[in-house]
Amino acid sequence: MKLKFYFLFILFLGLAVSIYAQYSTAHIDTANNLKITSQTHFSRNLIKSYKSSQLPGWPKAFKSNQSFKNMRGVCLEDITDDGADEIIFAADSSLYVYNSAGVKLWEVDLQSNATYPPAAADINNDGSIEIVQTTAGMQSSAMVHVLDKDGNYLDGWPVSINGNMLICSASLADIDNDNKLEILVGERASTGKLHVLKNDGTSYGQNWPVSLDGTPAVTPSVAYNYKLRNEMGINALVQNLIIMCSTKSIFAFDTDGNVLDGFPIENENTGFSYQSPLICDDLSQMHIIGSSHGNLPEFYNIIFDEFNTGINWSVPTVGDLWTYSPPTAIGLNDTFDFYIFGQPGATETDSFPTIHAFDPQGNYIDGFPYERTDGLEGFITAMYSVDFDKLYVFTGSNCKDEDGFGYIHAYSANTDFTNFVEMPGFPIEVQGFTFMNGVNLGDVNNNQKLDLVVLSYDLDFQETDSVHINIFELDDIIYNPDYCYGTYKGNNLRNGYIKPFGYSADIETLKMSNSIKVYPQVFQNDINIELNSNSKFDAFVYSSQAQLITKLCDCEKKCTFKLQDLSQGMYFVKVKQNNKIKTFKVIKLN
């Protein structure tokens, strides 16, 4: 009997140990310091996660700053003009560019720590992408860095701003309508300032910088539509509107640095840090969308137009708990359908309202808030399927498990946000925390499949801490770039200006570059490819499953595909010229 009792006791002890697990949660305290908390919980309450293979050559680890950790992900941009997105990111004091195969294209020593992702756009309107990276060091090592696509500094850069720290990303916009982009950046000082710099590194004008009533708290937002940049007779600066938050107020400036009527907006019970707002252009009416922390934190919508400026609606966070999550806004048919926010507050044992989705009037969408146990203070990305019958939503997490793995979440829903469920095989494990980060959406290998690029990091505050870049490919989902909110603040300019997605079967011509036209974008029988030069080119048509359907070689000036026998759906046209490939999306009607 004794032997049997000992055996049962040991068995019980083993089972008791197995149902507990150690979890860590990342958070930012009231002094804006990054902290981790470890707790032991019953495993039945923990997240069921999955391992998933990554693209060959990934993941990769890079030296991390021991104290300052990366926030808001990476930049995905086709800087080599080959149809594939390069992975551009900073870790510790280096800026890196890699291709999908894991090959480093270049690396630049920034001499100081960079915590936010770079902005990227054609600043000089010369047909090439430039990269803008801020660093947050001290004593003149904090600078704005502007480099060309090959990693060379542009004339006049880098620039130190009074030797003070520069926080968050820079944002880019053409303030004076000369088709060249200005750079907006916040200076951390006793009296914080918002700067506008010209592309040669000098100050934009005598009224800049402008002073704030506290420390700059976010990446500034500008009502500038990059897609309209080179349209004749159109000012791509849609509204004379620049939004910036200090730690205590929301400011709105015009391009001359004047504070606009109705601003700043301040509530002694709310504050701001990291929740960079969006400027949502809905039928020419601007809505400023964001969230806050403080004694009474909230999700807010501020309306801005010539007739009315002020708070449209605000909704308290659950339990008046802080959030540092920036917003996401999406919608089809030229109107915003949903505003989405994240919130922490989960204890990792019980579900907590984590994802919040509101309609334009500030009412919760049915089924929300969505509860889970691991919190969310990173950015949220989303994409509509190519046939517009599904919406995909991706997030990071606030916690990691006892083995050091953090999480990537992926959800699918109907386009009205009903049937919002975690996708099979998710959440995926990655090394380290995804806290304050998220999932960047793109196509890094130019095969039309959706790629998830995630920055995670170790949070032990040791010299051995690393930044990890993870790349997963979803073989069954086609990347839909024209209907994708795929990065922090919605675009690589980081200026937070977004419009809802629209679809029109009346589009006759889609001009995707200065040299190639593929038209009509929506077709019934024929697709035309036309170049503005006489050089030869090859053209290919692929299905949405990346299968080659037909090709034409050694074309001159113009060629036409006869495609009347194709079934209805989405297709891709690839044009190869001088060893460079451009990809165009077209839609076949009945």
Side-chain angles (χ1 to χ4, degrees):
M1 288 293 295
K2 246 183 200 182
L3 182 62
K4 184 176 181 181
F5 172 79
Y6 287 145
F7 173 76
L8 290 174
F9 176 76
I10 292 170
L11 178 63
F12 171 79
L13 181 63
L15 290 173
V17 171
S18 70
I19 64 173
Y20 282 90
Q22 188 78 32
Y23 262 55
S24 297
T25 304
H27 63 280
I28 295 176
D29 66 16
T30 56
N32 277 342
N33 295 315
L34 191 60
K35 301 289 186 180
I36 55 173
T37 301
S38 296
Q39 296 177 341
T40 301
H41 302 301
F42 284 103
S43 61
R44 66 172 177 265
N45 293 318
L46 300 180
I47 301 167
K48 178 177 175 56
S49 58
Y50 301 85
K51 297 186 184 298
S52 181
S53 59
Q54 302 196 26
L55 287 185
W58 302 94
K60 289 185 179 296
F62 303 85
K63 180 183 177 182
S64 170
N65 186 280
Q66 184 173 333
S67 301
F68 299 99
K69 303 304 179 180
N70 290 71
M71 299 182 181
R72 307 315 190 202
V74 305
C75 177
L76 302 181
E77 183 70 55
D78 180 13
I79 64 173
T80 59
D81 204 27
D82 63 354
D85 290 325
E86 278 70 47
I87 303 100
I88 312 168
F89 63 97
D92 193 33
S93 60
S94 291
L95 179 65
Y96 299 93
V97 177
Y98 275 76
N99 66 17
S100 64
V103 176
K104 182 171 68 176
L105 302 187
W106 50 264
E107 173 187 350
V108 170
D109 183 3
L110 302 172
Q111 303 297 316
S112 183
N113 186 50
T115 57
Y116 267 65
D122 181 2
I123 291 175
N124 298 326
N125 204 23
D126 61 357
S128 295
I129 297 294
E130 283 79 41
I131 299 163
V132 181
Q133 178 70 59
T134 58
T135 53
M138 302 292 286
Q139 296 179 348
S140 78
S141 61
M143 292 187 175
V144 184
H145 303 258
V146 182
L147 305 101
D148 67 18
K149 64 184 181 63
D150 298 313
N152 304 305
Y153 277 101
L154 270 61
D155 291 343
W157 303 94
V159 168
S160 172
I161 300 180
N162 302 319
N164 287 318
M165 292 182 68
L166 306 176
I167 61 174
C168 302
S169 295
S171 63
L172 310 178
D174 181 6
I175 301 298
D176 56 5
N177 198 32
D178 67 350
N179 289 341
K180 296 182 180 180
L181 305 185
E182 279 69 52
I183 299 167
L184 293 85
V185 64
E187 176 194 1
R188 190 182 185 94
S190 56
T191 300
K193 291 180 173 62
L194 172 62
H195 292 259
V196 178
L197 304 176
K198 295 192 291 188
N199 58 64
D200 62 1
T202 60
S203 182
Y204 170 70
Q206 62 180 4
N207 295 335
W208 295 93
V210 293
S211 296
L212 308 174
D213 59 0
T215 302
V218 301
T219 299
S221 297
V222 189
Y224 170 73
N225 190 342
Y226 186 61
K227 294 180 178 179
L228 300 178
R229 175 187 199 171
N230 289 309
E231 296 294 326
M232 291 293 294
I234 296 179
N235 186 351
L237 191 69
V238 182
Q239 286 276 2
N240 197 7
L241 176 63
I242 299 171
I243 298 296
M244 184 61 177
C245 298
S246 71
T247 50
K248 57 186 293 188
S249 303
I250 304 172
F251 283 85
F253 301 98
D254 64 20
T255 54
D256 292 323
N258 301 306
V259 178
L260 298 178
D261 290 344
F263 293 90
I265 295 175
E266 177 186 354
N267 184 331
E268 63 180 2
N269 291 307
T270 60
F272 306 94
S273 293
Y274 314 117
Q275 317 97 334
S276 298
L278 298 177
I279 299 176
C280 300
D281 186 353
D282 191 350
L283 301 176
S284 298
Q285 186 179 72
M286 301 295 173
H287 293 262
I288 303 160
I289 308 296
S291 57
S292 64
H293 63 263
N295 294 328
L296 293 175
E298 60 189 8
F299 311 111
Y300 65 83
N301 177 324
I302 298 171
I303 194 170
F304 177 86
D305 64 24
E306 59 181 317
F307 304 107
N308 182 28
T309 295
I311 297 175
N312 189 25
W313 53 258
S314 63
V315 178
T317 61
V318 175
D320 290 331
L321 296 175
W322 291 25
T323 178
Y324 293 109
S325 176
T328 300
I330 51 176
L332 286 171
N333 300 317
D334 293 318
T335 185
F336 287 105
D337 298 319
F338 316 109
Y339 299 113
I340 313 173
F341 305 84
Q343 186 178 344
T347 63
E348 291 74 60
T349 54
D350 302 308
S351 295
F352 187 85
T354 300
I355 301 176
H356 302 259
F358 301 98
D359 66 17
Q361 289 73 46
N363 304 306
Y364 270 111
I365 302 294
D366 288 345
F368 288 89
Y370 179 88
E371 297 190 350
R372 67 186 204 201
T373 64
D374 59 333
L376 172 60
E377 291 187 283
F379 63 92
I380 302 168
T381 48
M383 186 188 78
Y384 289 96
S385 63
V386 294
D387 53 7
F388 305 111
D389 69 345
K390 285 216 175 286
L391 177 65
Y392 304 106
V393 176
F394 304 88
T395 82
S397 167
N398 279 27
C399 73
K400 68 175 182 178
D401 65 17
E402 59 185 341
D403 297 317
F405 292 110
Y407 306 109
I408 303 170
H409 289 274
Y411 305 91
S412 64
N414 299 325
T415 55
D416 62 359
F417 239 14
T418 58
N419 196 30
F420 184 86
V421 294
E422 186 107 43
M423 291 168 55
F426 283 88
I428 293 175
E429 298 176 354
V430 295
Q431 181 66 42
F433 281 102
T434 57
F435 174 66
M436 296 294 280
N437 283 278
V439 183
N440 291 90
L441 310 181
D443 180 9
V444 300
N445 50 8
N446 197 25
N447 68 350
Q448 284 76 60
K449 305 297 184 182
L450 177 62
D451 296 322
L452 312 182
V453 182
V454 178
L455 184 150
S456 59
Y457 55 80
D458 302 320
L459 193 54
D460 299 319
F461 301 105
Q462 303 293 323
E463 291 183 358
T464 54
D465 282 3
S466 295
V467 166
H468 307 274
I469 303 297
N470 310 270
I471 305 181
F472 303 88
E473 187 160 274
L474 302 188
D475 291 333
D476 56 343
I477 299 179
I478 303 301
Y479 179 46
N480 193 12
D482 295 330
Y483 293 86
C484 179
Y485 184 99
T487 190
Y488 164 61
K489 296 201 71 177
N491 59 57
N492 283 338
L493 281 79
R494 312 294 180 202
N495 63 22
Y497 171 82
I498 60 169
K499 290 181 64 67
F501 303 116
Y503 172 79
S504 172
D506 297 328
I507 298 174
E508 290 297 326
T509 301
L510 182 64
K511 185 174 181 180
M512 299 294 292
S513 73
N514 292 328
S515 60
I516 304 172
K517 289 193 295 184
V518 175
Y519 62 95
Q521 181 191 19
V522 181
F523 70 99
Q524 290 184 317
N525 297 310
D526 300 342
I527 287 289
N528 303 293
I529 297 95
E530 185 175 351
L531 274 63
N532 63 4
S533 67
N534 292 319
S535 60
K536 292 186 177 182
F537 65 94
D538 301 330
F540 311 83
V541 177
Y542 287 84
S543 71
S544 61
Q545 303 301 314
Q547 297 174 326
L548 178 64
I549 295 172
T550 184
K551 64 180 180 180
L552 294 170
C553 297
D554 293 328
C555 305
E556 290 191 37
K557 190 69 176 177
K558 182 179 179 180
C559 68
T560 299
F561 285 109
K562 301 293 184 180
L563 302 172
Q564 63 271 16
D565 294 332
L566 290 183
S567 58
Q568 180 179 354
M570 181 168 290
Y571 296 86
F572 296 93
V573 176
K574 290 180 178 286
V575 180
K576 182 178 181 181
Q577 181 190 26
N578 299 327
N579 294 319
K580 292 185 177 181
I581 298 176
K582 292 185 180 293
T583 301
F584 304 82
K585 182 176 69 176
V586 294
I587 298 171
K588 174 71 161 64
L589 300 179
N590 286 328

